[in-house]
Amino acid sequence: MRSFEPGTLVDGFRIEGVMHHGGMATLFDVTQVSDNTRLVMKVPHLAEGDDPAEIVSFEMEAMIMPRLTGPYVPRFVAAGDFEGQPYIVMERIEGESLLQRLKDLPLPYDEVAAIGCRIGEALHDLHRQHVLHLDIKPSNVIMKPDGGAVLLDFGLSHHEKLPDLMQEEFRVPFGTGPYMSPEQLLGVRTDPRSDIFSLGVLLYFFSTGVRPFGESEMLANMRRRLWRDPKPPRLLRADYPPWLQEVVLRCLEINPAWRYPTTTQVCFDLANPGHVALTARSEKLKRDRWSTVLRRRFNPELPRPRMSAIAADLSLAPIVLVAVDISEGAADINETLRLTTAKILATVPSARLACLNILKQSRISIDQTLDDEGRNKHLDRLIALRQWASSLKLDPAQLTVHVIEASDPAPAILEFVRSNKVDQVIMGARQGTVMRKILGSVSAKVAAEAPCTVTVVRPPRFSSRDNGPAA
Amino acid sequence: MLIAFFSDIHANRQAFEACLVDARRRGAQRIVLLGDYVGYGADPEWVVDKTMELVGQGALAVLGNHDSAIGNDRENLHEDARLVIGWTRGRLDVAQRDFLAALPYTIDEAPRLYVHADASAPKRWIYVASKREAADSLAATSATLTVCGHIHIPALYSMSAGGKLSHFTPASNVPIPLLPGRRWLAVAGAVGQPRDGDPAAAYLLLDPEKNEITYCRCAYDVEAAAKAIIAQGLPAWFGDRLLAGR
């Protein structure tokens, strides 16, 4: 093996020193000589007689990393076969590893939710690129000073469009014991919801200070999570918010189908605690009864692995935003809006619908929250939105209603779309009104600037041309 | 220097033409032909002429079992395939038949090896249908990359340093890195008669510098190729299966 002593030059990178000496690889602080940038070089331990898993895992990382882009992963710089000693050089991420937060656990609930949301965003971007991380844990997450999360270590990852050498080479599951999903324990490496499970373990641990399935790396102990549920967080901390328990326990469902379908939906709930649909999960104060556990023990809840495409899954569980105008005279368009929404939801049963109404604020005077008759306008709007959505007959967990106060509707809608990673917007266009002539079209602005699909709905009506005789 | 690999053209002029155009558009500069220029399809003269022209320009070409059957009655083909071979013999002139008869079973362009079927016994035309045949083929040579066809279903096998074999069904049009330290067996899909459920013509593009292989798919005028088969009075199901890619 080559020397990696400080000062050594390796293919144009100068070794400055050891940053971290890990179990499978050593990270070196290096400088790219050509432009003096500080980078990180990862060098696997490949001594004779080593576990072939380490070699294959490194091969996987060398294959996947160059294909990843975006702010949630370190930028790939170079990979090399340096006299039989392979390495990867990547961007150096400034920030704090979540591992350094373990001494502060448990963290405040809102901080845990914020961290979970950032990791969820990063995972969403990874899944969009056809990659499952499969080793989400504190040491593989860095929180940047701007608050964003960066995911590290793709040695156990699965790329949907590349050969999975880990899957083919080994029969035993690979991962980090406390964080590994039940299906990973059974050898499944193709379900994006495995990352949601690991995120759930991290959320549980960070909010309670206790790991939900212990610390064991022994396969026999790890397999208990296939039938034994963790202690409900509310049992561990009396003030634990039911909404957070709902989110965490849903992430930790044994059966992937009972978890959130996408990380975006996890983020949506973490960012909107008041809108989390509370189920029996949120009420649990003790673990499942032994009879239930025994039934699961001998009647596994985990069905056969599924084999569908990752990126396709994301589009099957979109977040759909419908902007509803509650005011007088919008009845026509609201009916068309409802029909269009029903059609879109019928094709994607896992979709979540967010109904949004903008409560217009005057730009000058301070508005009263009460209307002329002394009723709360905000509350009235929420009730009206629920009424509008009721005929869609959605599952409560599928529907949220939001009233946002803003003086200008278009930027408020756009902000909601961006912060909640909305996949599709449905909204009406009012034609020929005086307001539209003065202020310009809200739907046109949203359609032009939204980072997603926008469906603009118009009620059918006859144009003046249709009234004339046919030519 | 990108290399395009075309296998199992099977006298399908429409598919072969479309693939040649597509490969050039993607920057292919060299061509390797992996056998079975004739059989099943309606345009053997054109396809063999085109193959001879490409070889004249520096392309490499190996022999396939249908090509071998033109001058050799002992090849084991099912009845309808044999019928088309008989019809094809009556279409090819001496120069074309001599060209096919002179093709080699394998071409060794170290560290790469080109062969129509399995490399352990090229004359036996064994289908590389699973890890077992892939392991036999890889064990028989020292090539780091073997490229073959014959089975009409794209696949990528690799053997680790420890001798473990992996199989992968490649996604179309995505470059796949062929990691060093492993040996690879790339099975090309068929240009002229795909059988993996996708009627689009299949071929491979290799970037030897980057060490990446792309399993390309190329749409072509399938209806025209199927009609030509029926117009020549050949078994109609050879045309039908083109439409279904089965």
Side-chain angles (χ1 to χ4, degrees), chain A residues 59 63 67 161-162 168-169, chain B residues 131 160 166-167 177 212:
Chain A
E59 286 182 306
M63 192 156 71
R67 283 158 179 80
K161 305 211 165 198
L162 297 177
E168 295 283 348
E169 187 97 8
Chain B
K131 290 197 237 180
S160 69
S166 75
H167 165 266
E212 284 181 351

Side-chain angles (χ1 to χ4, degrees), chain A residues 201-424:
Chain A
V201 174
L202 195 146
L203 291 174
Y204 185 111
F205 185 28
F206 273 49
S207 56
T208 63
V210 180
R211 291 179 182 84
F213 306 102
E215 296 178 45
S216 179
E217 296 276 354
M218 305 252 299
L219 196 56
N221 293 338
M222 278 151 62
R223 287 177 68 94
R224 287 170 58 85
R225 74 195 58 171
L226 287 166
W227 56 85
R228 190 67 173 118
D229 56 318
K231 285 181 185 156
R234 292 179 64 186
L235 177 66
L236 302 173
R237 288 182 77 183
D239 66 342
Y240 204 92
W243 71 268
L244 187 56
Q245 172 158 311
E246 175 74 32
V247 175
V248 170
L249 291 187
R250 187 166 170 201
C251 290
L252 292 179
E253 284 285 356
I254 296 167
N255 185 336
W258 298 350
R259 293 177 211 149
Y260 287 92
T262 66
T263 52
T264 314
Q265 296 204 5
V266 182
C267 294
F268 190 95
D269 275 1
L270 288 172
N272 301 283
H275 294 290
V276 176
L278 300 181
T279 71
R281 286 185 201 103
S282 68
E283 293 157 15
K284 273 179 85 168
L285 293 174
K286 52 181 190 260
R287 300 166 95 180
D288 289 340
R289 286 151 34 144
W290 270 107
S291 55
T292 308
V293 174
L294 278 172
R295 180 173 46 73
R296 274 202 295 259
R297 173 73 183 84
F298 299 104
N299 301 281
E301 281 181 0
L302 203 54
R304 273 176 1 103
R306 59 192 209 130
M307 301 295 284
S308 56
I310 301 161
D313 284 342
L314 297 181
S315 64
L316 281 178
I319 293 179
V320 178
L321 171 71
V322 55
V324 185
D325 186 349
I326 301 293
S327 60
E328 298 282 326
D332 259 10
I333 198 151
N334 282 350
E335 183 53 27
T336 316
L337 205 54
R338 181 164 37 221
L339 290 171
T340 307
T341 307
K343 268 186 243 168
I344 288 172
L345 292 179
T347 58
V348 277
S350 303
R352 272 183 82 145
L353 185 69
C355 300
L356 177 66
N357 177 255
I358 305 294
L359 183 56
K360 278 201 66 158
Q361 297 296 87
S362 159
R363 281 168 209 267
I364 304 158
S365 65
I366 295 168
D367 278 288
Q368 303 274 324
T369 41
L370 302 183
D371 66 12
D372 297 341
E373 287 151 35
R375 292 187 308 186
N376 184 322
K377 286 190 244 176
H378 197 106
L379 192 63
D380 278 357
R381 294 282 178 102
L382 284 174
I383 293 165
L385 277 179
R386 285 221 176 267
Q387 170 62 27
W388 178 87
S390 63
S391 69
L392 294 168
K393 299 201 171 15
L394 296 174
D395 186 289
Q398 265 185 292
L399 177 73
T400 53
V401 292
H402 311 261
V403 172
I404 293 178
E405 295 171 25
S407 58
D408 195 351
I413 293 172
L414 287 166
E415 173 56 30
F416 188 93
V417 167
R418 288 194 196 98
S419 59
N420 288 298
K421 298 267 188 292
V422 168
D423 296 285
Q424 181 170 5

Side-chain angles (χ1 to χ4, degrees), chain A residues 30-46:
Chain A
V30 300
T31 303
Q32 186 161 26
V33 179
S34 59
D35 60 1
N36 242 4
T37 41
R38 294 297 279 268
L39 300 164
V40 176
M41 180 183 281
K42 181 170 181 175
V43 179
H45 305 154
L46 300 179

Side-chain angles (χ1 to χ4, degrees), chain A residues 56 59-60 62-63 67 81 159-165 168-171, chain B residues 131 156 158 160 164-168 171 174-177 179-180 182 212:
Chain A
V56 175
E59 286 182 306
M60 289 297 293
M63 192 156 71
R67 283 158 179 80
D81 186 16
H159 192 303
E160 185 192 18
K161 305 211 165 198
L162 297 177
D164 189 336
L165 305 171
E168 295 283 348
E169 187 97 8
F170 307 104
R171 291 286 160 257
Chain B
K131 290 197 237 180
L156 180 62
S158 91
S160 69
K164 284 253 177 75
L165 217 84
S166 75
H167 165 266
F168 179 59
V174 179
I176 303 166
L179 299 172
R182 294 181 161 260
E212 284 181 351

Side-chain angles (χ1 to χ4, degrees), chain A residues 72-115:
Chain A
Y72 305 108
V73 293
R75 183 174 51 86
F76 169 85
V77 177
D81 186 16
F82 178 58
E83 292 183 18
Q85 174 61 64
Y87 62 82
I88 297 174
V89 179
M90 66 188 94
E91 177 189 4
R92 190 189 169 102
I93 303 290
E94 298 303 333
E96 186 183 40
S97 164
L98 280 186
L99 197 59
Q100 286 155 17
R101 300 303 307 274
L102 297 195
K103 60 184 187 306
D104 308 324
L105 302 188
L107 299 182
Y109 302 120
D110 54 349
E111 196 181 348
V112 174
I115 290 172

Side-chain angles (χ1 to χ4, degrees), chain B residues 169-183:
Chain B
T169 302
S172 300
N173 304 319
V174 179
I176 303 166
L178 302 177
L179 299 172
R182 294 181 161 260
R183 297 180 57 223

